[in-house]
Amino acid sequence: MSLRLFNTLTGQKETFVPLEPGRVRYYVCGVTVYDLCHLGHARTYVTFDVVLRHLRASGFDVTYVRNFTDVDDKIINRANKDGVHALEVSKRYIDEFYTDMDALGILRATIEPKVSGTMPEIIALIEKLVAGKNAYVVERDVYFAVDTFPGYLKLSKRNVEDLEAGARVDVDERKKNPMDFALWKSAKPGEPSWDSPWGKGRPGWHIECSAMAFRHLGESLDIHAGGRDLIFPHHENEIAQSEAASHVPFAKYWMHSGMLNIDDTKMSKSLGNFFTIREVLKDVDAEAMRMFFLTAHYRSQVSFDLAYHCPKCGALVTRQIAESLRHDACAFTKEEARRAVKFVGIDEAEKRLFYVYRTLMKCDALAASMPASEGPVLKPELLAKASSEFTEAMDDDFNTAAALSSTSALLSFANELCDKPPKPRDQSVRTAARIAAELRRGGAILGLFQGDPVKRVADRRVRLIAAKKIDTAAVDALLEERKSARTEKRFADADAVRAKLAALGVDVKDTPSGSVWDVKED
RNA sequence: GGCUCGGUACCCAAGUGGUAAGGGAGCGCUCUGCAAAAGCGUCAUUCAGCGGUUCGAAUCCGCUCCGAGCCUCCA
């Protein structure tokens, strides 16, 4: 089996054949650093992080370039608003970007260029386009002439008439065609600017990516990726300016990730219906968020569902009620209402994630109970099937949802095995070790299951105790009370104590070595 | 208005011509003094609707209904 991926350019799944055997030139459009990242960014970068990991696991030597757009109108606006220099704004949000991406386990790119560090290349590229008559200078601005590039709109599969019918294109008399876009914009007073043959100014939005890709990867890339919303105009314009200058195909494969919706509408800054990554991570596990994204195919649109609860009585309420800050006799603050919002999909993913970690914990314990030994394992066919299904799913256009489901049989078998290891014991021990290794192998490609299970489970417990405000001293006291009731065989009393503990959100588990407790799952 | 994509069980979701993966919830069972965890079983004669093509359709074609995205800055 070989890797197949969906190419936006051709509209179909194709076998992946890199331009140079064994090597992949991979470019992903990065963020404009003027604000904190939201969940939509998280989904996109998790998606392309998995693509990177799978390419590498498949044996490719990947050069991964992901840029930072640090010269842009929105950054300038932000700088003016905050009364600081534009570069301070971008520096700050690059740091914030790393904080969020690191939390989500997203790997650093091989090269992470910035627009501000690529000016000579950008200017040279624009000069080349002007010299080749694909671009023209008007006063101190430079525009790309879309009519000079026959392949224009081949990626988004539109035609100029359709776009013009939209009638939302800026009417600028100075452009030869309304679709022409700026390569260089002359500086307005107070803006950061760079010297150029056309005077002080800065690059237009699209040219930077072409210049950065050319500089670090050459004129032809294997894969160019980004969010679906970049297909037009951003990627379309990148193709036009790059290919007009180089006369070779800019990227062989174009990959686009689906949008993240909230309440059935795309999450976006302009609509204001967004959650920043970090505000959601206050309430949920980062790895669970990552897993949530991977339970759906990367090209499909994912809905981020919210469940609204009354902060006072806990009842499930409608969004309208939650926003009205009043539910029957309960009244609450906006902050309380926000804290009571449940992220349905992530909560579900978190349950599954910790089922995996508990399973790994049991496998590790069994594996460590005896020195490692050589020999056959139990159900080798189950292991082999899970492994090949996982790889096949990933090879089929990065079908992470199917890959994840291929681990199910392995997980239930692991639990069965660890709970009652069949004899001979050394065979069970080897099998547990093999299953754990296989789960971790697949997990590494998804960027999941790499934590220390004991630590992850313990940390989650601490987090849930804090979130549910469980009084551990009270729990311990009740546990003592129950212990004496049990030793005296006063089971009715013991059960009454169990009920009290349940009311506190605590589950008690009686083991041969005594009673332990955990936070009750919702 | 134009162009795309989608509608699969109570919920999430894979599957794009060979007879409906997986997960969550629910229910039943095993284990347990009770419980939890874990395991097992059960849970869509059917894939928005209606026609058509085919030996065979969730998958292909046509129409209808519904939802979303893009056409302006967006991941």
Side-chain angles (χ1 to χ4, degrees), chain A residues 287-362:
Chain A
E287 190 177 349
M289 178 187 283
R290 181 176 177 109
M291 186 154 162
F292 164 68
F293 293 133
L294 300 180
T295 55
H297 187 88
Y298 79 89
R299 278 188 288 119
S300 67
Q301 154 184 298
V302 159
S303 194
F304 186 68
D305 291 326
L306 304 178
Y308 300 87
H309 289 84
C310 169
K312 295 295 182 208
C313 69
L316 191 65
V317 299
T318 63
R319 180 181 159 202
Q320 285 70 28
I321 288 174
E323 284 175 355
S324 72
L325 307 184
R326 176 158 282 282
H327 166 244
D328 293 339
C330 309
F332 39 88
T333 66
K334 197 171 175 181
E335 177 57 18
E336 286 172 325
R338 202 206 66 76
R339 299 287 300 186
V341 169
K342 289 273 182 220
F343 307 108
V344 184
I346 298 183
D347 286 346
E348 200 176 289
E350 187 175 309
K351 271 184 203 174
R352 188 68 180 166
L353 174 66
F354 281 92
Y355 164 72
V356 176
Y357 272 125
R358 282 193 301 273
T359 306
L360 282 172
M361 197 162 79
K362 291 201 275 187

XYZ file of all heavy atoms in Angstrom, chain A residues 287-362:
625
model
N -4.636 17.109 25.114
C -4.530 15.924 24.266
C -5.924 15.440 23.854
O -6.104 14.923 22.752
C -3.765 14.814 25.002
C -3.404 13.645 24.114
C -2.575 12.597 24.843
O -2.096 12.849 25.968
O -2.415 11.500 24.282
N -6.910 15.669 24.727
C -8.292 15.298 24.390
C -8.810 16.191 23.266
O -9.545 15.755 22.380
C -9.190 15.406 25.619
N -8.403 17.462 23.298
C -8.810 18.370 22.225
C -8.222 17.881 20.904
O -8.905 17.833 19.874
C -8.321 19.795 22.514
C -8.687 20.777 21.407
S -7.961 22.414 21.627
C -9.039 23.074 22.887
N -6.971 17.501 20.952
C -6.307 16.988 19.751
C -7.027 15.736 19.248
O -7.315 15.592 18.066
C -4.856 16.659 20.103
C -4.065 16.146 18.937
C -2.602 15.936 19.322
N -1.932 15.379 18.174
C -1.034 16.018 17.409
N -0.660 17.222 17.712
N -0.518 15.442 16.351
N -7.345 14.842 20.166
C -8.019 13.609 19.788
C -9.399 13.905 19.202
O -9.822 13.262 18.240
C -8.149 12.708 21.013
C -8.713 11.344 20.695
S -8.140 10.157 21.916
C -9.305 8.855 21.667
N -10.083 14.877 19.778
C -11.397 15.271 19.255
C -11.296 15.649 17.771
O -12.091 15.207 16.950
C -11.949 16.447 20.065
C -13.089 17.173 19.408
C -14.317 16.545 19.240
C -12.931 18.471 18.944
C -15.375 17.206 18.625
C -13.974 19.137 18.328
C -15.194 18.500 18.163
N -10.308 16.426 17.422
C -10.152 16.813 16.016
C -9.910 15.586 15.140
O -10.375 15.512 14.013
C -8.986 17.787 15.839
C -9.212 19.126 16.470
C -8.239 19.714 17.260
C -10.418 19.815 16.275
C -8.449 20.960 17.845
C -10.627 21.060 16.856
C -9.645 21.627 17.644
N -9.167 14.625 15.670
C -8.784 13.467 14.871
C -9.874 12.406 14.775
O -9.725 11.435 14.049
C -7.491 12.864 15.427
C -6.298 13.831 15.414
C -5.055 13.157 15.972
C -6.030 14.370 14.006
N -10.983 12.592 15.476
C -12.072 11.618 15.357
C -12.915 11.897 14.116
O -13.818 11.128 13.805
C -12.985 11.586 16.598
O -13.463 12.905 16.846
C -12.257 11.060 17.802
N -12.637 12.999 13.444
C -13.336 13.263 12.181
C -12.289 13.376 11.080
O -11.118 13.635 11.351
C -14.127 14.563 12.272
N -12.693 13.173 9.848
C -11.741 13.296 8.753
C -11.322 14.765 8.586
O -12.148 15.659 8.729
C -12.353 12.768 7.453
C -11.356 12.719 6.344
N -10.558 11.617 6.140
C -10.974 13.659 5.469
C -9.730 11.891 5.140
N -9.968 13.118 4.727
N -10.077 14.999 8.252
C -9.582 16.385 8.214
C -10.263 17.279 7.188
O -10.297 18.504 7.331
C -8.051 16.412 8.003
C -7.599 16.196 6.573
C -7.443 17.268 5.687
C -7.350 14.912 6.092
C -7.041 17.068 4.375
C -6.946 14.698 4.781
C -6.804 15.783 3.929
O -6.425 15.587 2.625
N -10.806 16.669 6.119
C -11.429 17.535 5.104
C -12.873 17.885 5.424
O -13.440 18.785 4.831
C -11.372 16.857 3.727
C -10.040 17.042 3.054
C -10.029 16.545 1.615
N -10.052 15.109 1.532
C -11.021 14.393 0.938
N -12.041 15.014 0.380
N -10.950 13.086 0.900
N -13.480 17.133 6.336
C -14.876 17.436 6.617
C -14.966 18.576 7.622
O -14.032 18.886 8.355
C -15.591 16.196 7.138
O -15.078 15.857 8.400
N -16.122 19.166 7.613
C -16.331 20.273 8.517
C -16.684 19.664 9.872
O -17.382 18.670 9.934
C -17.452 21.045 7.863
C -18.340 21.871 8.638
C -19.384 22.411 7.665
O -19.099 23.131 6.707
N -20.611 22.037 7.905
N -16.143 20.208 10.913
C -16.408 19.662 12.238
C -17.204 20.667 13.038
O -16.934 21.860 13.005
C -15.069 19.355 12.958
C -15.270 19.276 14.461
C -14.482 18.051 12.446
N -18.191 20.152 13.738
C -19.002 21.043 14.545
C -18.544 20.941 15.989
O -18.434 19.849 16.536
C -20.471 20.673 14.418
O -21.244 21.719 14.936
N -18.256 22.069 16.558
C -17.829 22.117 17.944
C -19.080 22.364 18.772
O -19.545 23.491 18.883
C -16.813 23.245 18.115
C -16.199 23.305 19.472
C -15.340 22.308 19.898
C -16.480 24.345 20.323
C -14.770 22.361 21.159
C -15.909 24.412 21.581
C -15.053 23.412 21.994
N -19.642 21.275 19.306
C -20.921 21.409 20.000
C -20.770 21.807 21.460
O -19.902 21.306 22.163
C -21.696 20.092 19.922
C -22.173 19.814 18.511
O -22.491 20.788 17.813
O -22.190 18.642 18.115
N -21.660 22.666 21.859
C -21.653 23.123 23.242
C -22.922 22.651 23.932
O -23.985 22.616 23.322
C -21.615 24.657 23.291
C -20.457 25.320 22.549
C -20.585 26.830 22.639
C -19.127 24.871 23.131
N -22.787 22.280 25.177
C -23.967 21.942 25.982
C -23.996 22.955 27.123
O -23.001 23.140 27.819
C -23.871 20.524 26.515
N -25.119 23.609 27.270
C -25.222 24.652 28.297
C -25.894 24.082 29.546
O -26.931 23.439 29.460
C -26.034 25.829 27.758
C -25.411 26.445 26.532
C -25.693 25.946 25.267
C -24.522 27.511 26.649
C -25.107 26.492 24.136
C -23.937 28.068 25.525
C -24.225 27.552 24.259
O -23.647 28.097 23.149
N -25.268 24.301 30.669
C -25.836 23.836 31.926
C -26.089 25.028 32.833
O -25.377 26.034 32.764
C -24.860 22.884 32.621
C -24.746 21.564 31.943
N -23.904 21.368 30.865
C -25.377 20.382 32.143
C -24.025 20.108 30.448
N -24.919 19.489 31.202
N -27.090 24.857 33.673
C -27.344 25.897 34.669
C -26.251 25.782 35.727
O -26.046 24.704 36.295
C -28.723 25.687 35.299
S -28.965 26.745 36.740
N -25.504 26.863 35.982
C -24.401 26.779 36.938
C -24.888 26.487 38.359
O -24.118 26.025 39.196
C -23.760 28.166 36.870
C -24.370 28.861 35.717
C -25.679 28.209 35.418
N -26.142 26.780 38.626
C -26.654 26.578 39.995
C -27.193 25.166 40.211
O -26.793 24.483 41.129
C -27.772 27.596 40.297
C -27.284 29.033 40.318
C -26.299 29.307 41.456
C -25.870 30.776 41.455
N -24.539 30.987 42.006
N -28.106 24.732 39.333
C -28.707 23.421 39.577
C -28.161 22.338 38.647
O -28.474 21.160 38.820
C -30.236 23.505 39.450
S -30.818 23.797 37.775
N -27.344 22.723 37.692
C -26.716 21.721 36.842
C -27.574 21.188 35.709
O -27.111 20.388 34.914
N -28.812 21.634 35.636
C -29.698 21.124 34.589
C -29.230 21.564 33.203
O -28.623 22.630 33.049
C -31.120 21.616 34.821
N -29.487 20.706 32.233
C -29.167 21.044 30.850
C -30.160 22.113 30.396
O -31.365 21.937 30.542
C -29.309 19.796 29.978
C -28.773 19.876 28.550
C -27.266 20.069 28.548
C -29.135 18.608 27.800
N -29.650 23.215 29.903
C -30.552 24.302 29.485
C -30.227 24.712 28.056
O -29.223 24.275 27.484
C -30.416 25.533 30.421
C -30.793 25.160 31.839
C -29.004 26.101 30.372
N -31.061 25.530 27.495
C -30.790 25.998 26.148
C -29.773 27.134 26.214
O -29.531 27.718 27.278
C -32.057 26.558 25.477
O -32.480 27.699 26.222
C -33.167 25.511 25.447
N -29.213 27.408 25.079
C -28.238 28.486 25.001
C -28.888 29.826 25.395
O -28.289 30.633 26.089
C -27.735 28.546 23.558
C -26.718 29.618 23.319
C -26.316 29.593 21.869
N -25.738 30.858 21.489
C -25.675 31.302 20.250
N -26.186 30.574 19.276
N -25.112 32.453 19.983
N -30.137 29.992 24.951
C -30.844 31.223 25.272
C -30.955 31.421 26.783
O -30.721 32.523 27.298
C -32.264 31.213 24.658
C -32.302 31.446 23.156
C -31.741 30.276 22.348
O -31.773 29.124 22.777
N -31.186 30.566 21.175
N -31.325 30.327 27.488
C -31.460 30.420 28.940
C -30.110 30.739 29.572
O -29.997 31.615 30.426
C -32.045 29.101 29.515
C -33.530 29.004 29.135
C -31.861 29.037 31.029
C -34.189 27.696 29.521
N -29.065 30.033 29.105
C -27.727 30.277 29.665
C -27.319 31.726 29.464
O -26.751 32.353 30.355
C -26.712 29.343 29.011
N -27.652 32.274 28.315
C -27.260 33.656 28.033
C -28.130 34.674 28.757
O -27.727 35.809 28.960
C -27.283 33.903 26.516
C -26.071 33.263 25.845
C -26.085 33.351 24.334
O -27.092 33.827 23.774
O -25.080 32.926 23.722
N -29.339 34.237 29.142
C -30.232 35.159 29.864
C -29.803 35.288 31.327
O -30.280 36.149 32.052
C -31.674 34.658 29.803
O -31.830 33.518 30.633
N -28.867 34.404 31.761
C -28.338 34.408 33.126
C -29.426 34.149 34.163
O -29.341 34.593 35.319
C -27.627 35.747 33.428
C -26.550 36.165 32.421
C -25.869 37.443 32.866
C -25.507 35.061 32.225
N -30.434 33.434 33.751
C -31.536 33.112 34.658
C -32.182 31.825 34.199
O -32.471 31.635 33.024
C -32.555 34.272 34.589
C -33.819 34.076 35.390
C -34.473 35.399 35.696
N -33.796 36.097 36.784
C -33.951 35.792 38.073
N -34.718 34.801 38.427
N -33.313 36.478 39.004
N -32.339 30.896 35.166
C -32.964 29.615 34.842
C -33.919 29.290 35.980
O -33.497 28.957 37.079
C -31.893 28.519 34.711
C -32.436 27.128 34.711
N -32.146 26.216 35.692
C -33.287 26.504 33.865
C -32.777 25.079 35.439
N -33.480 25.235 34.352
N -35.205 29.420 35.723
C -36.221 29.256 36.766
C -35.828 30.110 37.961
O -35.700 31.312 37.829
C -36.384 27.779 37.163
C -36.968 26.957 35.999
O -37.588 27.574 35.104
O -36.796 25.734 35.989
N -35.574 29.451 39.094
C -35.250 30.229 40.299
C -33.756 30.556 40.376
O -33.332 31.310 41.235
C -35.675 29.448 41.540
N -32.962 29.978 39.481
C -31.517 30.197 39.540
C -31.117 31.472 38.790
O -31.580 31.708 37.683
C -30.778 29.020 38.902
S -31.254 27.388 39.494
N -30.243 32.235 39.421
C -29.671 33.402 38.742
C -28.163 33.258 38.852
O -27.660 32.716 39.830
C -30.139 34.692 39.421
N -27.464 33.693 37.823
C -26.018 33.501 37.848
C -25.338 34.576 37.020
O -25.992 35.334 36.304
C -25.652 32.108 37.324
C -26.485 31.648 36.152
C -26.110 31.962 34.859
C -27.660 30.906 36.359
C -26.880 31.539 33.783
C -28.431 30.486 35.277
C -28.047 30.796 33.982
N -24.023 34.619 37.118
C -23.272 35.631 36.380
C -22.846 35.076 35.021
O -22.903 33.876 34.781
C -21.988 36.026 37.143
O -21.121 34.889 37.166
C -22.298 36.465 38.563
N -22.413 36.004 34.206
C -21.970 35.622 32.864
C -20.785 34.669 32.950
O -20.701 33.690 32.211
C -21.571 36.899 32.108
C -21.483 36.710 30.617
C -21.313 38.056 29.924
C -21.115 37.838 28.437
N -20.925 39.094 27.703
N -19.868 34.952 33.855
C -18.686 34.106 34.016
C -19.077 32.699 34.478
O -18.560 31.705 33.983
C -17.716 34.757 35.012
C -16.455 33.948 35.348
C -15.612 33.581 34.113
O -15.778 34.210 33.047
O -14.792 32.633 34.226
N -20.031 32.631 35.407
C -20.493 31.318 35.880
C -21.130 30.542 34.737
O -20.924 29.334 34.599
C -21.509 31.479 37.020
C -20.876 31.903 38.336
C -21.902 32.249 39.403
O -22.974 32.802 39.057
O -21.637 31.981 40.576
N -21.873 31.247 33.922
C -22.544 30.594 32.796
C -21.495 30.043 31.830
O -21.616 28.930 31.337
C -23.461 31.574 32.089
N -20.470 30.835 31.601
C -19.429 30.398 30.682
C -18.709 29.167 31.219
O -18.417 28.224 30.491
C -18.408 31.520 30.454
C -17.628 31.375 29.158
C -16.272 32.047 29.213
N -15.380 31.415 30.162
C -14.750 30.256 29.945
N -14.926 29.605 28.828
N -13.960 29.724 30.884
N -18.439 29.157 32.502
C -17.750 28.023 33.101
C -18.599 26.757 33.072
O -18.078 25.663 33.184
C -17.373 28.331 34.565
C -16.438 29.506 34.727
C -15.030 29.212 34.290
N -14.414 28.112 35.045
C -13.145 27.761 34.909
N -12.376 28.406 34.056
N -12.654 26.757 35.609
N -19.906 26.917 32.945
C -20.797 25.752 32.973
C -21.033 25.178 31.576
O -21.718 24.180 31.426
C -22.128 26.134 33.610
N -20.428 25.808 30.568
C -20.573 25.282 29.211
C -19.730 24.016 29.078
O -18.583 23.964 29.517
C -20.096 26.329 28.171
C -19.994 25.706 26.788
C -21.045 27.514 28.147
N -20.332 22.984 28.506
C -19.604 21.726 28.304
C -19.258 21.573 26.823
O -20.081 21.875 25.963
C -20.481 20.546 28.722
C -20.678 20.448 30.211
C -19.548 19.659 30.839
C -19.769 19.513 32.337
N -18.499 19.673 33.060
N -18.051 21.104 26.571
C -17.618 20.883 25.203
C -17.844 19.404 24.893
O -16.999 18.563 25.182
C -16.157 21.276 25.061
C -15.882 22.666 25.557
C -15.186 22.885 26.738
C -16.369 23.767 24.862
C -14.953 24.175 27.198
C -16.140 25.059 25.323
C -15.433 25.265 26.494
N -18.998 19.123 24.349
C -19.470 17.748 24.201
C -18.455 16.819 23.535
O -18.100 15.780 24.086
C -20.801 17.711 23.415
C -21.338 16.286 23.353
C -21.822 18.642 24.058
N -17.995 17.188 22.367
C -17.082 16.330 21.624
C -15.769 16.102 22.346
O -15.242 14.986 22.369
N -15.235 17.134 22.955
C -13.953 16.993 23.645
C -14.112 16.150 24.894
O -13.261 15.329 25.219
C -13.338 18.366 23.987
C -13.071 19.143 22.696
C -12.041 18.193 24.767
C -12.409 20.480 22.910
N -15.227 16.306 25.586
C -15.461 15.499 26.779
C -15.503 14.017 26.422
O -14.962 13.169 27.123
C -16.784 15.907 27.455
C -16.655 17.249 28.169
O -15.518 17.709 28.360
O -17.696 17.832 28.517
N -16.147 13.732 25.310
C -16.238 12.345 24.868
C -14.844 11.812 24.502
O -14.473 10.698 24.857
C -17.173 12.261 23.660
C -17.720 10.881 23.414
C -18.719 10.858 22.285
O -19.840 11.378 22.456
O -18.369 10.330 21.219
N -14.100 12.631 23.796
C -12.741 12.245 23.412
C -11.890 12.023 24.659
O -11.071 11.103 24.712
C -12.115 13.315 22.527
N -12.103 12.860 25.657
C -11.305 12.725 26.875
C -11.578 11.396 27.582
O -10.665 10.741 28.081
C -11.582 13.898 27.827
C -10.644 13.878 29.023
C -10.800 15.079 29.932
O -10.774 16.213 29.446
O -10.955 14.863 31.156
N -12.831 10.992 27.588
C -13.165 9.695 28.186
C -12.413 8.579 27.486
O -11.834 7.699 28.112
C -14.666 9.419 28.036
C -15.465 9.953 29.171
C -16.931 9.579 29.024
C -17.740 10.574 29.818
N -19.169 10.415 29.652
N -12.432 8.623 26.185
C -11.779 7.583 25.404
C -10.260 7.642 25.591
O -9.596 6.627 25.713
C -12.154 7.779 23.924
C -11.700 6.664 23.016
C -12.435 5.376 23.290
N -11.991 4.311 22.400
C -12.254 3.026 22.577
N -12.981 2.635 23.616
N -11.827 2.134 21.729
N -9.731 8.843 25.605
C -8.291 9.020 25.775
C -7.808 8.399 27.076
O -6.795 7.697 27.108
C -7.947 10.514 25.745
C -6.492 10.878 26.049
C -5.577 10.350 24.952
C -6.340 12.389 26.170
N -8.550 8.626 28.140
C -8.100 8.094 29.421
C -8.400 6.619 29.578
O -7.746 5.937 30.363
C -8.607 8.972 30.569
C -7.747 10.198 30.679
C -8.080 11.373 30.000
C -6.544 10.146 31.363
C -7.235 12.472 30.024
C -5.702 11.244 31.399
C -6.040 12.406 30.737
N -9.320 6.119 28.800
C -9.498 4.664 28.726
C -8.221 4.079 28.128
O -7.700 3.064 28.589
C -10.723 4.357 27.861
C -10.841 2.923 27.376
C -11.174 1.890 28.250
C -10.612 2.603 26.040
C -11.290 0.577 27.795
C -10.735 1.304 25.576
C -11.061 0.292 26.460
O -11.173 -0.999 26.002
N -7.689 4.722 27.111
C -6.439 4.259 26.497
C -5.302 4.335 27.518
O -4.530 3.387 27.669
C -6.082 5.085 25.240
C -4.718 4.653 24.684
C -7.156 4.944 24.172
N -5.203 5.466 28.228
C -4.118 5.591 29.207
C -4.234 4.584 30.344
O -3.237 4.031 30.794
C -4.053 7.023 29.759
C -3.173 7.917 28.913
C -3.652 9.107 28.376
C -1.844 7.562 28.647
C -2.847 9.914 27.597
C -1.038 8.362 27.865
C -1.538 9.548 27.349
O -0.732 10.343 26.580
N -5.469 4.311 30.789
C -5.634 3.306 31.850
C -5.214 1.935 31.330
O -4.603 1.151 32.042
C -7.090 3.269 32.337
C -7.453 4.406 33.294
C -8.791 4.129 33.989
N -9.881 3.962 33.050
C -10.613 4.957 32.552
N -10.359 6.208 32.905
N -11.595 4.714 31.704
N -5.539 1.682 30.075
C -5.159 0.405 29.474
C -3.639 0.299 29.367
O -3.047 -0.734 29.689
C -5.800 0.271 28.080
O -7.209 0.469 28.204
C -5.533 -1.097 27.479
N -3.010 1.373 28.925
C -1.545 1.374 28.820
C -0.903 1.173 30.181
O 0.101 0.467 30.323
C -1.056 2.700 28.217
C -1.205 2.857 26.702
C -0.866 4.286 26.289
C -0.300 1.874 25.954
N -1.530 1.786 31.185
C -1.007 1.674 32.541
C -1.030 0.203 32.979
O -0.056 -0.290 33.552
C -1.885 2.522 33.470
C -1.296 2.849 34.797
S -2.178 4.249 35.538
C -3.623 3.435 36.164
N -2.103 -0.471 32.670
C -2.214 -1.879 33.041
C -1.214 -2.735 32.251
O -0.587 -3.647 32.798
C -3.650 -2.381 32.794
C -4.668 -1.778 33.755
C -5.926 -2.617 33.866
C -6.945 -2.327 32.810
N -8.224 -3.026 33.011
